[in-house]
Amino acid sequence: MSSGLSIRDVSFAYGSRPALTSVSLDVAPGAFCALLGPNGAGKSTLFALLTRLITTPAGQIEIAGHDLRAGPRKALARIGVVFQQPTLDLDLSVRQNLRYFAALQGLSGKQASARIDAALDRLSMRDRDREKIRALNGGHRRRTEIARALIHDPAVLLLDEPTVGLDAASRSAITAHIHDLAAEKALTILWATHLTDEVRPSDRLAILHRGRLIEDGIASDIAGAASLSDRFLTLTEAA
């Protein structure tokens, strides 16, 4: 059974307005795939479909070998998600937020504590675990959300524009952490962004524009002799 992510011919429309049209994408275990697209490209719609916030009869989605339509519980149990909008309880501490999520995943006692400690250590957040979320800066809040998404040991990690509103240093640090996770834990990563500087030349890159995938390959190959930023502008303007 594959622990990767497979999207096949997925389409979705809001009434008469198409948001995604025949999108197909495979991401292998241990791969970091950047889903790059301008605002309104359909990235958040795709994430809503992957997390079953919305559904569509068009196409097929498999998560770690589980068909999302046929076996939604098994599929959803294998993903960790960091949404674009923050979802932490501001009046709880870092550890309390994580313990609450662990309980939702059926984890308690020593097992939950061990998973929480491991996730906090991985994101360099153990020394802040007693601080309330509202006392943290944006970068540390995002690290907490990523730690939370890892507690139940998912096979696939989905991040929908996780660096929105952060300064350049925080964005760089979080992007580096996620690349490390893909390499160290063989996690399948789908990272949605509209910022080309978050994509490394060696990254798998899929460019989404107006609901269609217009490029899929290695970032340096797609950029060619140009900078990725210039190539991205050329592709989206042409499309």
Side-chain angles (χ1 to χ4, degrees):
M1 180 179 292
S2 170
S3 57
L5 174 66
S6 178
I7 301 166
R8 285 277 177 272
D9 296 320
V10 168
S11 298
F12 186 83
Y14 295 99
S16 61
R17 180 173 65 85
L20 295 171
T21 304
S22 299
V23 172
S24 294
L25 180 67
D26 289 303
V27 188
F32 177 103
C33 179
L35 181 67
L36 179 65
N39 292 331
K43 301 187 299 298
S44 291
T45 297
L46 180 58
F47 271 59
L49 289 168
L50 290 171
T51 53
R52 209 169 165 78
L53 292 175
I54 57 176
T55 61
T56 177
Q60 182 183 37
I61 296 171
E62 285 191 3
I63 298 169
H66 300 290
D67 186 287
L68 185 57
R69 184 182 297 118
R73 289 192 177 186
K74 289 182 178 179
L76 292 174
R78 303 301 292 133
I79 64 172
V81 188
V82 178
F83 288 106
Q84 186 176 141
Q85 296 299 320
T87 56
L88 297 168
D89 189 319
L90 298 179
D91 293 315
L92 295 181
S93 70
V94 169
R95 184 169 289 273
Q96 287 171 332
N97 268 278
L98 270 55
R99 186 166 287 281
Y100 177 73
F101 181 78
L104 294 178
Q105 297 295 324
L107 301 170
S108 61
K110 291 182 179 179
Q111 184 185 28
S113 294
R115 294 280 189 93
I116 291 169
D117 287 344
L120 289 173
D121 286 341
R122 194 171 292 117
L123 275 300
S124 302
M125 285 291 294
R126 179 85 85 96
D127 61 339
R128 296 180 176 271
D129 69 338
R130 304 295 177 184
E131 295 183 32
K132 287 189 176 182
I133 297 300
R134 69 171 64 254
L136 301 178
N137 62 33
H140 287 128
R141 291 185 187 189
R142 274 309 196 194
R143 291 192 192 196
T144 301
E145 291 194 286
I146 295 168
R148 183 182 60 181
L150 297 173
I151 289 174
H152 60 300
D153 196 24
V156 177
L157 184 59
L158 308 174
L159 303 103
D160 186 9
E161 306 222 20
T163 63
V164 167
L166 301 184
D167 59 45
S170 295
R171 289 200 297 113
S172 178
I174 288 174
T175 306
H177 274 299
I178 298 302
H179 278 88
D180 291 344
L181 280 170
E184 294 169 7
K185 292 181 63 64
L187 265 175
T188 302
I189 307 286
L190 186 61
W191 172 287
T193 184
H194 64 276
L195 301 169
T196 56
D197 65 352
E198 294 182 351
V199 183
R200 295 179 177 178
S202 59
D203 284 342
R204 168 82 177 284
L205 174 62
I207 298 180
L208 187 68
H209 184 51
R210 295 179 180 172
R212 297 179 182 272
L213 276 183
I214 59 174
E215 287 286 344
D216 181 10
I218 302 302
S220 59
D221 294 338
I222 292 173
S227 69
L228 180 58
S229 178
D230 288 344
R231 180 63 173 151
F232 177 53
L233 288 173
T234 298
L235 287 168
T236 52
E237 287 173 357

